[in-house]
Amino acid sequence: MNSLAFLTLLGSLFSTTVAVVFDLSELEWNLVNQNGSISVPGAVPSQVHLDLLRAGVITEPLLGINDFTERWVFQDNWTYTADLTPLLTGGEIQSTDQLLLVFHGIDTVANITVANKPIAWVNNQFRQYVYDVSFLNAITSGNLTVALESAYYYGLNVSMRPDAETILGDTFEVPADRAYIRKIASDFGWDWGPGFVPSGIFRPAYLVSLSNSTTNATSSSPTNDTSQLVFVEETSVDIYKVGQNFSVPPNETADWVVNVTLALRTAGTFSSPSISVSVAELNITSPQFSLDELSATSDSDSPTWVTVLWQIPDSIPQRWYPHNLGTPKLYNLTIALNLTADSGSDVELTVRTGFRTIKLAQLPYSQEDIDARGITPGDQWHFEINGKAFYSLGTNIIPFDPFYARTTTDQVRWVLESAVSSGQNMLRIWGGGIYQPDSEETGGYDFYSLCDELGILAWSEFIFSDTLYPINDFFLESIEPEVRQNVRRVNRHPSNVQWAGGNEIEGIVTGVNTSMANGTIYLNEFVTLFQDFLHDIAVSETHSVPYTDCSTTKGVLSLDPYILRFNNGTRGNIYGNSERYNYDASQAFNYSTFPVSRFVNEFGFHSMPSFYSWEEVLTSPDDFSFNSTVVASRDHHPPAGSLAFPNPNAPQGQAQMTQGVELWLPTPSTSDSNQTFAQWCWSTQIFQSMTMMSQIAWYRRGAGQGENNLGALVWQLNDIWQGVSWSSIEYSGRWKVLQYGMTTTFSPLTIYPFWTPDNQTLEVLVTSDRWETVDGTAQLTWYDWNGNMLNTSTRDFAIPTLNNSLIFSASGLDSILPSGKKATDVWMLLNVTAQVDNKTVTNEQYFTPVSLADVTLVDPRIKVDATQDLIFTLSALGGVAPWTWIDHPAGTVGMFVDDTTGIPSNGFYLVPGIDRTLKFVLNEKLSTNASPDPADFVLRSLWNNTHTE
């Protein structure tokens, strides 16, 4: 063939195959709208907006107000067509016995036709589809057509059926009754992103050719004829302990069970097949497991399922750990399928995996824990890795782009590496987005394999979010294969920590149950779907990870049978986990408003992206203003709740950010409008970081309190566009202030000042997430704003496992402040040093007894010495510069690290006489400016909020 990719994919793990595979991206595709007025070249994988962009029909959807002006795209129907004649006449598939059409993702509602023969109607974005199209062997021409229906109109039409149930839930922007559509929920808009409602063949697609004998095989290699005989449609590798399941915790000394399950399609019949499994690095091989006869699968058949269980002694493999607790050890597991008794290994699949146990502790604390450890009665809610409880430090993941098909592994790797660099060990894959993929060949980019490699845990969710869902046979029949496919696919990844049924729905339904006369109906439907249906599927497909009904939950009354607690609790006891959002900036540091919880899986505050990100999308100089029409239109908080544009609720979100800056920082106002706008954007990020750092510190403090808090996951890590959001990393990959702030508060050892202004009480705590006792020294130093040291003191400490140590406590400003000083004149530098994991760990924090808006700053006169290899030495020649910050120029992606420790560092108090040397580490793969000039880096501090010099 001339234009088509002719591939043999050995060991590709979605539908692993050793058949001949034709990548359908190499066909010439055409895209046309319903009335034929638009016809442009198409692509696979792709989406309609992206193909229209490439053809020049539309401009970049993320520019300006294109999320409004390009709504016509999702209100049309679109058809992708490819001519199959080159395949049918090229000889590569002639005389084969079976042809399979494989789609790894269609977004979302579509009719599939091959050579004018209807193949299927699909309506689920989250499923893999495989169809037998062997009839193509008998013809020499024909088209492959995927006719996509507008998901927007599909949702409206389905919800208006006379038998349709009234659905309760949130409409963020596009009112399409998304509960009826198995599609990314945030495609319809969210409070941090646009509603483009894209469509397309958004993941890779293939044509697979199988033969039933070596006499008509098409392989170009005569020694590899049998490689045309089998297609492995699904692969599941579930590793757990003997006896372990959802309700039975792992016995840490028991043997490992390696559960290998394959879904096979064959064009022939094999009477005595067998499977063996091996790990070359460990020099171990299983016995030969005999299988039942494999029969040829036809158009109407499901694949043939085969399962083998191999036990390995506990002591043989090294265990996988998240990066901050050990080594994320991975092994290559080889699965050899022998088709006949006397054959060698006809099919070999290599799976990268690891050995670890995960437990989600949800049952009541023992009376011994309550008495001996002072734990508040109630239920546990935390994770254990390899038999040990640990502190979950991390963030939440949303889709990486409004258009999935243009996400790359390099982009995702940068976000995940950034999470690791900032000390995170867990990412929650939010249930309103997408099931994250684990290979480029099947998903377009990688996610789970990167988590395995980098040692970061992935909290996985089924894709249900912020609405109730209809319970009917049609709906359940669609989601059952969706859930089974994704659980089986993810099983092999040691990074996966659990499956949650969905996002925030339990709270919605319990509220409805008490506030509506017919609320019990919705509660019963929730129980049917999330307590029973999804639970039963999950636990039937995996023994290695737990299931919980919802991201935020009151927990369970029982694991076996699985019965949810809901509001059946005892007053004063603590159950389940929680989240916290409070947009009154005056309460940002009021600890009495923070939840006292076992685990906090969402908490956040929104901020602006940087000036550089706005430059990517704003098209007029007049737009560069905090409350300009275009800037405000990209604030979707609170969401519009309709197609109204610009968002009529945006002034609320803008006002919340404004309040945060004006209450706690100098209000940006200079003679340069662009600088003022840049300082406003940056200042909202400072406030975001300040309020998030205070909450993280509070929840980590809870590990040593009655709540025994063992989890803090910030909302959110990544961004979906250049707009107002809760993210710590901007759409381009640029770190916000919060990302550097989390590097400080997610450190293994942290120090933090807990100040309660109502009673003028200051407590300074040092917190550790280590499993061993940590000994160290803390230093508390008072300065004035000129940079003069007023006094200093040191405290030694010893912190037990997952706990904290109180090193300073005082009440009344007179006993706290340096003698003769006013609260507006001074601030405290807090440092801690200890040996952790045979390394010196330091941590730094700051305490100001009043808001920075009320202090009198002194011109810091910052001197910058820069080298061509992007090393910057910063010196304050005047006063103290709070929140000193360096911005890297447009077109660059990277992070600043301390040149001595290598730890990410930016956004700190620069003190006269204490220089800082930072190095900018450039990500060359993502940067369009690969050789930035040091002169183009911009330095700013709070002094610049009101001064241009």
Side-chain angles (χ1 to χ4, degrees), residues 789-855:
M789 181 190 297
L790 304 176
N791 64 57
T792 188
S793 61
T794 60
R795 308 280 199 284
D796 294 330
F797 59 81
I799 308 176
T801 300
L802 294 174
N803 214 312
N804 46 64
S805 178
L806 178 66
I807 63 168
F808 177 85
S809 179
S811 296
L813 275 178
D814 290 342
S815 62
I816 296 172
L817 297 176
S819 177
K821 297 296 182 179
K822 296 188 297 183
T824 55
D825 295 338
V826 294
W827 64 279
M828 183 193 290
L829 175 64
L830 302 89
N831 293 103
V832 67
T833 303
Q835 292 296 308
V836 176
D837 301 330
N838 298 316
K839 295 183 294 186
T840 299
V841 172
T842 60
N843 194 253
E844 177 176 292
Q845 193 51 262
Y846 320 104
F847 168 64
T848 56
V850 296
S851 164
L852 286 167
D854 298 326
V855 305

Side-chain angles (χ1 to χ4, degrees), residues 580 582 587-595 695 699:
R580 193 254 187 190
N582 187 327
Q587 301 301 306
F589 309 103
N590 182 351
Y591 301 115
S592 69
T593 68
F594 296 176
Q695 286 193 64
Y699 302 140

Side-chain angles (χ1 to χ4, degrees), residues 661-777:
V661 172
E662 292 181 342
L663 280 177
W664 300 104
L665 302 170
T667 301
S669 177
T670 73
S671 59
D672 184 316
S673 61
N674 272 355
Q675 178 184 309
T676 298
F677 179 51
Q679 294 291 127
W680 262 110
C681 294
W682 175 65
S683 295
T684 67
Q685 293 187 19
I686 293 176
F687 174 73
Q688 177 195 36
S689 183
M690 290 170 63
T691 185
M692 290 301 95
M693 290 167 70
S694 70
Q695 286 193 64
I696 294 169
W698 174 263
Y699 302 140
R700 291 191 65 177
R701 172 185 181 272
Q705 306 298 311
E707 62 266 33
N708 191 32
N709 181 296
L710 291 177
L713 305 182
V714 173
W715 186 269
Q716 67 206 55
L717 178 60
N718 60 312
D719 228 334
I720 200 169
W721 72 335
Q722 305 92 333
V724 174
S725 85
W726 288 247
S727 74
S728 62
I729 299 177
E730 299 180 18
Y731 176 75
S732 67
R734 180 182 295 270
W735 284 29
K736 287 184 176 179
V737 178
L738 173 57
Q739 185 66 19
Y740 288 99
M742 288 190 296
T743 302
T744 300
T745 51
F746 282 160
S747 172
L749 187 71
T750 66
I751 188 169
Y752 197 82
F754 293 93
W755 167 247
T756 305
D758 290 348
N759 60 10
Q760 294 190 348
T761 297
L762 176 65
E763 292 185 339
V764 178
L765 273 76
V766 180
T767 301
S768 167
D769 69 359
R770 298 295 88 190
W771 284 327
E772 68 280 356
T773 297
V774 174
D775 299 303
T777 302

